[in-house]
Amino acid sequence: MDADLCQRILSDLESILRKNPLLESFDVISSADDQERANRSPVYVIENHLGLDSWCLVPVYVAAHDELLRTQDAQKLLQLSNFVLLINPELEAGWNCRKKLFLQKKCSFQQELQLSHLALSRKPKTAEAFFHRKWVLSQEMENYTLERRQAVLHSELQLCETMAGKYFSNYHAWDYRRHLLKEYVEGAPLIVESELQRSKDFLQSHVSDYSGMSYRQYVLLRVNSRPLFESELTFVSDLIHTFPGHEALWSHRRFCVLANIGLLKWAEKRQRLILKENKDPKRLENVREIEQSFLRKTLRDSGNWQTALCERHVRWASATLHIDIAPLQANGSTDEQERPIIEANDSD
Amino acid sequence: MAYPLKDIQIPEDANKELLIAKHTKYLYDFAENKDSFEYVMTEHLRLSGIFWSITALDLMGTLRDFNKEDIIEIVKSCQHSNGGLSAAPRLDSHILYTLSGVQILVTFDALNAINADAVVDYVCSLHQKDGSFFGDKWGEVDTRFSLCAVATLALLKRLDAIDIESTTNYILSCMNFDGGFGRRPHSETHAGQVYCCLATLSILNQLHHVNAEQLGWWLCERQLPSGGLNGRPEKLPDACYSWWVLTSLAIIGKLHWIDKDKLSAFILACQDSDGGIADRPGDEVDPYHTNFGLAGLSLLGENRLKKINPVFCLCQDVIDRLKLKPQILDP
Ligand SMILES: [Zn+2]
């Protein structure tokens, strides 16, 4: 591809990004036929969506990537990194280059949010792009008024929700969301309340997404109320019956059991969750009864995989809490085995 | 009623034999192929890519003809004035590639190719008060970086350069109620991070902090009916977790909690008949999954492969030559 055409594409992209601050997503499109190709720029906007014709991806990327790592010119670096990072957001050197430009005030907070958002819209689990947002927020937020900080926080939480919806068990999206809650919630207590509701809604519609549940556990512990833990145990019981065979729900149940009997606490010194030694046999007997009746009810109507998950739960309770649940009424406790049963299959 | 178990079915005609000659050829060809778009797109992983390839070849005993002198030159050219190494010469230094570079050099017994004192200074410069490590000067924190720092210093015999207590405490602050570890405090448990944290504690001789029973359960629950392992609940099985999960079990002395025959069959099924290993049977192969698939088979006792060290992911003879003895819990 000749250098002029390449430069024109980079300039087009830059001016589109500048003129359309509200772009929602970016993708590479392979539809353009020769006729279309001749008549329009390969970078275009349709209803807030940014598209790039696939024919120019390889030649422009190869040239832009190479020049990005050679040139010192700020204006060029901006244009080149726009393109390179939209295509390959894992390239840390590209984001580093943007951070240097940001510190030199060659690009704005909004530009950085826009670029990383568009990159994430195509590759929603890119850790490097989430880190870039985390970094620019750390540079800017303390200079903002409370009102503006809250507006940023709201839109960041929304972005996390969008990316979590685009990619199953999106570790980095949920981790970034946890980071936001840790850093920016002060002065906005209602946000924790609303996150409690939003994470519940998400869980209900994504019953296999343990990353979302892990985030919810963090929110629940921040609120840290006994009635809340109790209602969560009921909530997850219902979900396990309605959606059998979901390991994520069973993992979440373990959390609920432990939280419910007060075995999970923030350890102030290390700022982490510790599993306390239990000193109350009455409580444990209570847990044993609840779990036993829950498992008996579950096993009444269950397939192989759900049964395997039940058996794992029995072993987990035995290993973690040293209680023996007998899920089968007829022949007492299940056999102790060396490892979890994995013989289930998905065909039944 | 259909149950939503997320797993794969191993095809009838899947490979059942270890294809050493094919994998060797695949990795040699891969190293030669520098004109592809993929090669440009993966420049930011280059040094790690070389590490995966040479470790896989070393495990198979076919590293001999690989271009040792050229590779040492490349590693050398990746060291920057701050002492750190980057994935490729014109990229920025980062702790991930600093470890990859050092791992490559110890494999070739060529540590004198770089300025080791400068590497130690670089690693120390990333150590934070709370015991965590930055990945580079921009300040991202991750338990992976703790392992990179500690393993690099151990291979350079310079563990004395950092404070062990705070480093250990940071790792422990990332422990979860399931006995596993995440990226940062309160992050979700992830098998890859579990390995990083266990390996760090092993090198620092601090494994007594781990709840081996509980974590062992979580780890062996990663095995699915197909025999393959996933890294988190309800994710698909993936050959690279044959390493992350299995080596974690090996470090805490619970390797026997896995059904070895089924896992071995799963990894063998991920082989391409033309060489290389993929994440799942039938998918595209790459050096990363080839290395970690082979490393998993080595841990499972495949006798056509050399023994791998579970902590450093290097052949055991390299670790023996360095006289390193990372902690492993008794079964
Ligand atoms: Zn993988």
Side-chain angles (χ1 to χ4, degrees):
Chain A
M1 172 186 280
D2 79 341
D4 285 347
L5 178 57
C6 183
Q7 182 53 51
R8 212 179 69 218
I9 293 169
L10 292 172
S11 306
D12 283 356
L13 175 61
E14 195 198 16
S15 82
I16 285 178
L17 290 175
R18 202 179 295 276
K19 283 182 210 148
N20 299 272
L22 299 177
L23 286 169
E24 280 163 23
S25 71
F26 163 69
D27 214 345
V28 177
I29 315 283
S30 57
S31 61
D33 57 31
D34 289 347
Q35 183 66 38
E36 257 183 291
R37 251 198 218 194
N39 292 336
R40 66 152 191 234
S41 162
V43 206
Y44 48 89
V45 174
I46 301 170
E47 291 174 356
N48 278 340
H49 300 290
L50 174 63
L52 178 78
D53 278 341
S54 60
W55 63 266
C56 75
L57 187 153
V58 172
V60 178
Y61 184 88
V62 171
H65 171 93
D66 186 59
E67 208 186 342
L68 178 71
L69 301 174
R70 278 192 289 125
T71 184
Q72 301 289 332
D73 180 281
Q75 192 47 38
K76 273 194 164 165
L77 283 170
L78 274 178
Q79 285 189 351
L80 295 161
S81 56
N82 279 338
F83 191 95
V84 166
L85 288 169
L86 283 177
I87 302 301
N88 190 9
E90 283 163 34
L91 186 76
E92 210 148 27
W95 296 115
N96 293 349
C97 162
R98 297 293 292 211
K99 292 187 185 76
K100 287 176 208 159
L101 293 167
F102 183 83
L103 291 173
Q104 296 162 11
K105 303 209 185 318
K106 301 279 199 262
C107 52
S108 70
F109 185 59
Q110 285 311 330
Q111 275 177 292
E112 295 320 282
L113 293 188
Q114 180 194 41
L115 182 63
S116 52
H117 177 183
L118 292 173
L120 282 168
S121 74
R122 180 158 173 263
K123 297 190 172 182
K125 59 165 181 161
T126 311
E128 291 78 6
F130 281 112
F131 175 61
H132 192 63
R133 298 182 85 83
K134 189 169 155 183
W135 184 86
V136 289
L137 256 66
S138 76
Q139 299 295 308
E140 286 289 282
M141 286 289 261
E142 60 183 18
N143 308 324
Y144 287 179
T145 59
L146 183 62
E147 203 172 58
R148 187 150 179 216
R149 274 212 302 277
Q150 289 213 29
V152 173
L153 181 57
H154 273 292
S155 72
E156 290 307 283
L157 291 170
Q158 185 51 51
L159 172 115
C160 291
E161 182 102 12
T162 307
M163 298 310 157
K166 274 177 186 268
Y167 188 83
F168 164 67
S169 264
N170 192 336
Y171 196 92
H172 302 298
W174 291 104
D175 216 38
Y176 179 55
R177 194 156 168 177
R178 210 164 1 228
H179 169 79
L180 293 167
L181 229 54
K182 282 184 195 175
E183 294 294 320
Y184 302 114
V185 154
E186 236 169 293
L190 289 180
I191 296 228
V192 178
E193 289 293 313
S194 80
E195 284 300 280
L196 205 54
Q197 187 56 47
R198 286 176 87 175
S199 61
K200 188 171 187 175
D201 296 343
F202 187 89
L203 198 165
Q204 236 157 347
S205 51
H206 299 78
V207 290
S208 50
D209 196 312
Y210 188 66
S211 293
M213 297 178 205
S214 160
Y215 173 78
R216 176 158 175 79
Q217 292 164 11
Y218 174 74
V219 184
L220 286 166
L221 279 164
R222 277 191 65 142
V223 179
N224 198 13
S225 99
R226 193 69 194 283
L228 191 58
F229 292 144
E230 267 169 37
S231 73
E232 188 73 5
L233 188 63
T234 314
F235 174 55
V236 77
S237 299
D238 292 347
L239 287 174
I240 287 175
H241 290 145
T242 316
F243 303 99
H246 279 287
E247 188 190 0
L249 290 173
W250 284 91
S251 302
H252 187 50
R253 183 175 189 86
R254 294 178 182 183
F255 166 86
C256 296
V257 169
L258 294 175
N260 212 12
I261 50 172
L263 285 186
L264 296 178
K265 277 276 181 311
W266 298 108
E268 284 307 322
K269 221 168 111 201
R270 276 187 182 144
Q271 286 293 299
R272 76 168 162 112
L273 218 52
I274 49 165
L275 194 58
K276 292 198 307 189
E277 204 56 53
N278 182 68
K279 294 193 183 84
D280 185 351
K282 250 199 225 148
R283 267 198 188 171
L284 277 191
E285 180 50 27
N286 186 238
V287 171
R288 201 191 64 79
E289 276 167 17
I290 293 172
E291 293 309 288
Q292 184 161 293
S293 84
F294 170 73
L295 286 181
R296 286 181 177 176
K297 190 173 167 207
T298 308
L299 281 171
R300 235 178 273 151
D301 168 38
S302 111
N304 272 355
W305 185 237
Q306 179 89 326
T307 305
L309 293 170
C310 281
E311 283 166 1
R312 286 180 174 191
H313 194 69
V314 171
R315 279 192 195 86
W316 169 81
S318 160
T320 309
L321 298 168
H322 313 293
I323 53 176
D324 292 316
I325 304 170
L328 298 176
Q329 270 150 321
N331 40 359
S333 73
T334 40
D335 304 330
E336 280 300 317
Q337 289 196 1
E338 268 297 281
R339 46 187 185 77
I341 294 181
I342 56 157
E343 271 70 48
N345 62 61
D346 56 347
S347 56
D348 59 354
Chain B
M1 176 166 193
Y3 280 86
L5 171 59
K6 295 186 185 62
D7 197 5
I8 56 121
Q9 202 104 46
I10 293 181
E12 292 275 326
D13 59 348
N15 280 301
K16 293 179 181 66
E17 295 297 322
L18 177 59
L19 308 171
I20 288 190
K22 293 274 173 57
H23 297 322
T24 301
K25 184 174 184 309
Y26 162 72
L27 292 168
Y28 275 75
D29 290 350
F30 189 90
E32 290 305 310
N33 181 14
K34 291 176 183 162
D35 301 319
S36 67
F37 181 53
E38 199 191 333
Y39 189 81
V40 179
M41 285 287 280
T42 54
E43 179 166 340
H44 63 290
L45 297 172
R46 189 79 67 236
L47 226 46
S48 295
I50 294 173
F51 165 69
W52 300 325
S53 289
I54 68 162
T55 306
L57 291 167
D58 200 10
L59 279 170
M60 296 187 289
T62 52
L63 182 58
R64 280 181 308 276
D65 317 317
F66 212 60
N67 210 335
K68 174 175 163 180
E69 300 309 322
D70 282 1
I71 288 175
I72 293 173
E73 272 313 305
I74 293 172
V75 176
K76 220 172 149 173
S77 67
C78 290
Q79 188 169 32
H80 294 252
S81 56
N82 63 8
L85 277 71
S86 53
R90 54 189 186 165
L91 301 179
D92 303 328
S93 50
H94 194 287
I95 194 114
L96 286 170
Y97 308 104
T98 302
L99 174 62
S100 296
V102 169
Q103 283 171 314
I104 294 166
L105 294 180
V106 295
T107 303
F108 288 131
D109 197 9
L111 265 182
N112 53 7
I114 52 168
N115 181 345
D117 289 340
V119 172
V120 173
D121 291 343
Y122 176 70
V123 172
C124 292
S125 75
L126 299 172
H127 202 193
Q128 305 304 302
K129 267 214 189 83
D130 65 358
S132 66
F133 281 87
F134 285 177
D136 63 15
K137 67 170 180 175
W138 298 106
E140 177 70 312
V141 170
D142 187 326
T143 44
R144 281 188 307 158
F145 306 154
S146 297
L147 172 62
C148 291
V150 165
T152 298
L153 294 176
L155 292 170
L156 298 175
K157 310 254 173 184
R158 286 301 312 278
L159 270 181
D160 60 287
I162 51 157
D163 177 45
I164 308 271
E165 197 187 329
S166 67
T167 308
T168 304
N169 280 339
Y170 184 75
I171 296 287
L172 296 179
S173 74
C174 301
M175 194 195 276
N176 289 316
F177 72 88
D178 51 21
F181 297 85
R183 253 187 134 193
R184 286 182 282 269
H186 314 130
S187 298
E188 180 190 354
T189 294
H190 181 297
Q193 310 291 143
V194 169
Y195 158 73
C196 291
C197 293
L198 290 179
T200 306
L201 294 175
S202 154
I203 294 169
L204 299 177
N205 210 22
Q206 301 288 329
L207 281 177
H208 59 279
H209 292 292
V210 172
N211 184 339
E213 290 289 312
Q214 224 196 327
L215 177 53
W217 283 114
W218 187 88
L219 286 166
C220 67
E221 286 178 350
R222 301 301 102 232
Q223 189 161 36
L224 294 161
S226 66
L229 306 176
N230 63 15
R232 288 184 281 152
E234 301 206 38
K235 300 284 275 186
L236 284 172
D238 180 334
C240 68
Y241 287 99
S242 314
W243 172 254
W244 308 117
V245 174
L246 202 60
T247 197
S248 298
L249 284 164
I251 293 171
I252 59 172
K254 307 279 185 219
L255 195 58
H256 57 290
W257 282 13
I258 283 283
D259 185 329
K260 294 185 180 182
D261 294 339
K262 283 186 105 171
L263 175 57
S264 176
F266 176 87
I267 302 173
L268 292 173
C270 293
Q271 297 178 112
D272 188 300
S273 303
D274 292 329
I277 298 177
D279 55 358
R280 284 176 279 285
D283 285 358
E284 192 97 40
V285 300
D286 59 60
Y288 171 88
H289 288 94
T290 304
N291 176 45
F292 291 118
L294 292 172
L297 288 171
S298 166
L299 272 183
L300 290 169
E302 166 61 57
N303 57 22
R304 293 167 67 195
L305 297 171
K306 294 208 302 196
K307 266 185 78 175
I308 187 125
N309 179 276
V311 174
F312 288 100
C313 193
L314 289 164
C315 285
Q316 187 58 42
D317 56 8
V318 175
I319 298 305
D320 290 343
R321 168 156 47 72
L322 292 164
K323 299 196 173 56
L324 291 170
K325 285 201 171 61
Q327 187 187 11
I328 302 287
L329 294 181
D330 290 331

